[in-house]
Amino acid sequence: MKRFWTDNGLSVVLIAFFTVFWLAQALTGWAVYNEELQQWRQPILSWPQYLMTSHFWSTTAENWESEFLQMAAYVILTIYLRQRGSAESNPFPDEQTKAEKNQSDFAPPGFWRRNSLSLVLLGMFVGALIIHLFSSWKTYNLEQQARGQAAESVMAFLHEPEFWFESFQNWQSEFLAVAAIVVLTIFLRQIGSSQSKTLFDPNEKTGSA
């Protein structure tokens, strides 16, 4: 068990935080949704019933979608783009040793092996986007029916601002967060972090290695 913790401590803690906060989202979302149901004079739901609703999955997938978009875009953009001095950027050619340049020129065979990380992240983004779309559409139609209005098709819902508002409000924040760490790691340090340059590295140095 000690060896397992030593080898996997970072992922274990991150997954634990994810589980705790997702559970908290589910419990608070359940309370919010039942308040809405009472306002619509509809029967309230138990917690297991709430976990099957479009309300829960719409809010969940809405956030997953933006996170996977952020990571996929970051992985792909850092292939081609640089930021001088950032710990989050690949170094410029003039900062690389001859051995590093030779290694970067080597491309292992196989499209999947060369691009598996970006492809999986893009696939997770598309999957979350689809779940978000259909869950948000179902929630929207339930609200329409509660107001005595007609339900809409998925294609009609795509022309409503609500779905895009839900997406864009998350997308912009993700890119702001990435831009912040890219720029801040030029000037700021955190001793012991793999996302920071060492305390003695000059601001002009690119990359954390």
Side-chain angles (χ1 to χ4, degrees):
M1 182 60 71
K2 184 178 180 181
R3 175 64 184 272
F4 177 83
W5 170 255
T6 302
D7 291 347
N8 303 282
L10 181 59
S11 59
V12 168
V13 170
L14 289 171
I15 291 171
F17 274 124
F18 161 73
T19 303
V20 168
F21 290 130
W22 198 21
L23 177 62
Q25 175 204 329
L27 290 170
T28 53
W30 174 44
V32 169
Y33 193 55
N34 274 338
E35 287 179 1
E36 293 178 356
L37 290 176
Q38 288 178 325
Q39 292 173 2
W40 299 337
R41 292 184 171 81
Q42 299 293 321
I44 63 173
L45 302 178
S46 66
W47 191 58
Q49 288 175 320
Y50 172 70
L51 295 181
M52 303 301 294
T53 64
S54 58
H55 183 274
F56 173 69
W57 285 105
S58 175
T59 53
T60 295
E62 174 187 335
N63 287 281
W64 288 359
E65 161 199 324
S66 61
E67 299 297 337
F68 293 134
L69 173 64
Q70 175 209 64
M71 296 311 299
Y74 185 54
V75 166
I76 294 170
L77 289 175
T78 52
I79 300 171
Y80 307 103
L81 305 177
R82 304 285 189 273
Q83 173 57 56
R84 179 76 69 178
S86 176
E88 297 296 317
S89 170
N90 284 327
F92 286 79
D94 63 296
E95 298 176 300
Q96 293 178 306
T97 64
K98 185 176 181 180
E100 289 172 332
K101 289 179 181 178
N102 291 337
Q103 185 177 16
S104 64
D105 290 337
F106 173 73
F111 179 80
W112 168 255
R113 188 177 178 187
R114 296 196 307 270
N115 302 283
S116 55
L117 178 60
S118 57
L119 290 173
V120 168
L121 287 170
L122 285 171
M124 295 172 82
F125 162 67
V126 172
L129 180 67
I130 292 171
I131 295 172
H132 174 208
L133 170 61
F134 281 92
S135 298
S136 187
W137 167 59
K138 186 174 180 181
T139 300
Y140 179 80
N141 278 339
L142 288 173
E143 293 174 356
Q144 289 287 93
Q145 291 170 356
R147 299 188 191 102
Q149 299 174 351
E152 293 187 355
S153 66
V154 175
M155 294 306 297
F157 177 66
L158 280 172
H159 289 85
E160 295 288 343
E162 183 165 340
F163 171 73
W164 298 108
F165 170 69
E166 291 171 354
S167 293
F168 290 145
Q169 67 177 318
N170 286 289
W171 294 4
Q172 57 84 15
S173 64
E174 299 299 337
F175 284 96
L176 175 63
V178 172
I181 194 169
V182 166
V183 174
L184 291 177
T185 56
I186 299 173
F187 312 102
L188 306 180
R189 306 289 189 270
Q190 177 56 59
I191 188 168
S193 175
S194 65
Q195 305 305 301
S196 171
K197 294 182 287 189
T198 69
L199 298 180
F200 305 104
D201 283 336
N203 290 343
E204 295 76 17
K205 178 187 174 184
T206 308
S208 60

